[in-house]
Amino acid sequence: MLDRPNRIAVAAPSLDGGVARPDLITVEQAKAMSIGDITTAFKEHLNPGQLHFMKLLGFHKVKIESAEGMFYTDQNDRKILDFFGGFGSLAFGHNHPRILDARQKFQDEKRHEIAIAFMSQYAAALAKNIAACSPGDLDMVFLGSSGSEAMEAAVKLAERAAGPKRPKVVYAENSFHGKTKGVLAITDGQLYRADFKITDNTVRVPFADIDAVENAFKSDPEIGVIVLETIQGGGGIIQAPAEYWQKLRALCDKYGVLWVADEVQCGYGRSGRFYAFEHYGVVPDVTALAKSLGAGKAAVGAMIARREVYMKAYGTPKTAMIHAMATFGGMGEACVTAIEGINVLYDEHLIDRAADSGSYLLDRLQALKEKYPKIIKDVRGQGLMVGLEFQDFSQTLPMVLRPVVSMLDDKLKGSLSGFIGALLLRDYDVLVAFTEYNRNVIRLEPPLICERAHVDQFIAALDDLLGRGIVRIVKDFVGSQIG
């Protein structure tokens, strides 16, 4: 029960003279806010607990004034190389000129936004474009505003198409499909699940274990859906081999199970194909996109389903409105932004760029792994979705210290990746990301406009930092907390 000490009584406002204006911040005042002002507002009105971690990493000292291409610019005119990429949300980098122009023209012509009463040419065109990019008969599209919303729509559609006699959904260990209430049941993280009451019609299997999937299908005829990330992002950039996906498709066909591929993070060209599952010559029954679908300037998510599956779930006038677009699904300017984005993606050959720059990045990181084997444990990924895993802390120390420190490895997990991420920003002007479940992994998802020169800049910074050795890295990080 919530503690409610000293509740403040508020009198009904007087209507004499109209509604009083509260003490509001204007747009220009917001732009001019100091780091101190931002910190206070964040702590008082957003997320005080999150601020703790931002302070540990030194991220709270940065105020971004502008961003263009591969770089942020902070309050000190420092250019920060973005190898974080908003968890894959910035395929086109920051403020791509064609995206800005499309949005400006939409605004200048005062075109319509909310597509509820009338059909929207922009929503229709975006759906047609997404279908054109999708293989097989993935051609029915639901538009929303986030990855979580797209995945909610995907799971609901698949569950309904599977039918009431097959309500169970298989999901994988270390999966991440969103934080909203429905998909929380298939997001395998106790941090996010906390003590929420979640649906119990789920079956958990190890990721990339086809025998476990087949055993589940065989043993439980109520299973109607399986939901998997093609590349696990929060799990630490984890992939399954091609034969896994090919056998999965065959098993789903054999047992009549619908396969939902979560491509929210790994899709939209990031892997070097429009969808990551295209690397394996298979097509799911339902999939989902978000992140870069909004071209870094709008919140857009999409579910894409095979027509047969969609029509089974919502194909009649009686069922059509069960899960129709919400108020902000298919908004005009958001759709125009996404339409232009897809055109830029192909016009500028960014899927090919992701494959080339990603391969180069993996090669350069592999060379660093060979140079620093006591620090780097693994390098993995596809295209520009790359995981850099560090050794447990004990393994980076001299042999004589390892037995003692190894007992603390679990508590120290993520400390080395945190130290390195913080120092990359402080000393080398490079921003990287982290992962939810394996905290020893740094996640690299730079914009698809990333060129080899940007990779070289990142590798040079990482090489120089690792060359300091563990003892100095720790000392320098501790110094950053004191200073």
Side-chain angles (χ1 to χ4, degrees):
M1 180 177 280
L2 291 173
D3 185 25
R4 297 188 177 96
N6 303 321
R7 276 196 162 188
I8 300 172
V10 179
S14 170
L15 298 181
D16 295 338
V19 176
R21 185 183 190 276
D23 185 14
L24 300 175
I25 297 172
T26 67
V27 172
E28 286 304 310
Q29 288 170 337
K31 179 183 175 183
M33 286 174 73
S34 68
I35 287 287
D37 292 336
I38 298 168
T39 301
T40 299
F42 193 98
K43 184 176 181 179
E44 292 181 352
H45 304 294
L46 281 172
N47 194 325
Q50 185 180 353
L51 184 61
H52 166 77
F53 296 104
M54 297 180 77
K55 286 183 175 180
L56 278 177
L57 295 167
F59 290 4
H60 71 299
K61 298 176 181 178
V62 178
K63 177 189 175 185
I64 298 301
E65 298 288 1
S66 63
E68 184 176 4
M70 287 290 297
F71 296 90
Y72 290 100
T73 301
D74 74 0
Q75 73 273 29
N76 300 312
D77 288 329
R78 177 172 63 142
K79 300 289 186 184
I80 299 171
L81 178 65
D82 186 4
F83 260 60
F84 167 31
F87 293 121
S89 299
L90 292 162
F92 309 102
H94 299 273
N95 290 307
H96 190 289
R98 277 184 56 178
I99 305 299
L100 295 182
D101 287 347
R103 290 169 64 84
Q104 189 62 56
K105 188 173 183 181
F106 184 94
Q107 295 165 20
D108 290 345
E109 296 178 0
K110 297 182 173 62
R111 301 185 216 167
H112 66 284
E113 280 286 10
I114 305 297
I116 299 176
F118 308 106
M119 290 188 294
S120 165
Q121 61 268 52
Y122 308 115
L126 176 57
K128 184 173 176 60
N129 278 357
I130 292 172
C133 295
S134 302
D137 55 350
L138 288 168
D139 56 7
M140 298 299 290
V141 178
F142 167 90
L143 295 175
S145 304
S146 70
S148 291
E149 187 182 1
M151 284 303 299
E152 293 276 4
V155 175
K156 282 182 70 178
L157 178 137
E159 184 178 327
R160 181 169 170 79
K165 293 182 179 180
R166 306 188 69 177
K168 291 189 178 179
V169 179
V170 175
Y171 71 100
E173 293 176 359
N174 294 325
S175 59
F176 183 89
H177 299 291
K179 299 176 188 175
T180 49
K181 198 66 159 35
V183 291
L184 203 56
I186 53 172
T187 288
D188 188 40
Q190 191 52 47
L191 171 67
Y192 303 122
R193 290 186 171 202
D195 54 1
F196 295 110
K197 175 65 177 175
I198 59 176
T199 58
D200 57 5
N201 63 324
T202 57
V203 177
R204 181 173 178 261
V205 298
F207 184 69
D209 185 338
I210 199 64
D211 292 334
V213 172
E214 184 166 19
N215 289 337
F217 288 2
K218 278 182 180 178
S219 63
D220 194 341
E222 290 191 348
I223 290 173
V225 180
I226 183 168
V227 183
L228 299 166
E229 295 161 271
T230 314
I231 302 174
Q232 286 194 324
I237 316 299
I238 306 298
Q239 295 174 267
E243 55 267 26
Y244 172 84
W245 299 108
Q246 291 153 7
K247 289 178 181 177
L248 176 71
R249 179 70 274 176
L251 284 175
C252 287
D253 293 340
K254 179 180 178 180
Y255 290 94
V257 174
L258 295 174
W259 167 26
V260 178
D262 184 342
E263 293 260 340
V264 166
Q265 189 169 155
C266 62
Y268 202 79
R270 181 148 296 279
S271 73
R273 296 288 188 274
F274 189 82
Y275 293 103
F277 59 71
E278 292 183 89
H279 289 282
Y280 311 118
V282 290
V283 180
D285 299 292
V286 187
T287 188
L289 295 169
K291 302 293 186 186
S292 286
L293 184 58
K297 300 300 289 186
V300 184
M303 175 211 72
I304 310 95
R306 291 174 48 227
R307 175 172 291 274
E308 178 186 359
V309 175
Y310 183 92
M311 295 302 286
K312 190 173 182 181
Y314 308 132
T316 69
K318 186 177 179 180
T319 60
M321 301 305 290
I322 290 175
H323 199 104
M325 280 193 297
T327 306
F328 299 114
M331 284 188 69
E333 189 172 333
C335 286
V336 164
T337 305
I339 290 166
E340 185 69 0
I342 291 175
N343 279 275
V344 172
L345 186 72
Y346 286 96
D347 290 348
E348 297 189 1
H349 309 288
L350 295 183
I351 300 176
D352 296 327
R353 175 87 62 84
D356 177 73
S357 294
S359 177
Y360 183 63
L361 174 60
L362 285 164
D363 287 345
R364 296 295 312 271
L365 287 171
Q366 189 62 41
L368 285 188
K369 178 179 178 291
E370 294 169 5
K371 185 175 181 180
Y372 303 105
K374 292 182 180 179
I375 300 178
I376 298 177
K377 181 179 181 180
D378 193 24
V379 172
R380 54 182 177 265
Q382 187 87 44
L384 286 173
M385 186 172 181
V386 173
L388 175 62
E389 183 173 3
F390 296 105
Q391 300 281 6
D392 282 335
F393 210 88
S394 64
Q395 300 305 303
T396 68
L397 300 173
M399 193 68 71
V400 68
L401 296 175
R402 290 183 187 179
V404 177
V405 179
S406 64
M407 294 185 291
L408 300 172
D409 274 338
D410 191 54
K411 290 185 177 180
L412 291 171
K413 220 168 193 56
S415 56
L416 184 54
S417 59
F419 297 165
I420 288 171
L423 293 174
L424 279 172
L425 178 63
R426 189 193 75 171
D427 297 344
Y428 301 94
D429 306 334
V430 173
L431 180 65
V432 297
F434 307 95
T435 57
E436 283 90 346
Y437 303 135
N438 186 344
R439 290 168 290 153
N440 281 349
V441 177
I442 277 181
R443 186 176 353 190
L444 305 173
E445 296 182 12
L448 306 191
I449 63 170
C450 180
E451 298 178 354
R452 291 190 172 205
H454 299 122
V455 173
D456 289 340
Q457 181 180 342
F458 167 72
I459 292 295
L462 182 61
D463 187 10
D464 189 69
L465 177 55
L466 297 182
R468 299 181 189 183
I470 292 300
V471 173
R472 188 180 158 200
I473 287 173
V474 173
K475 284 180 62 178
D476 289 347
F477 175 78
V478 172
S480 74
Q481 298 298 296
I482 298 171

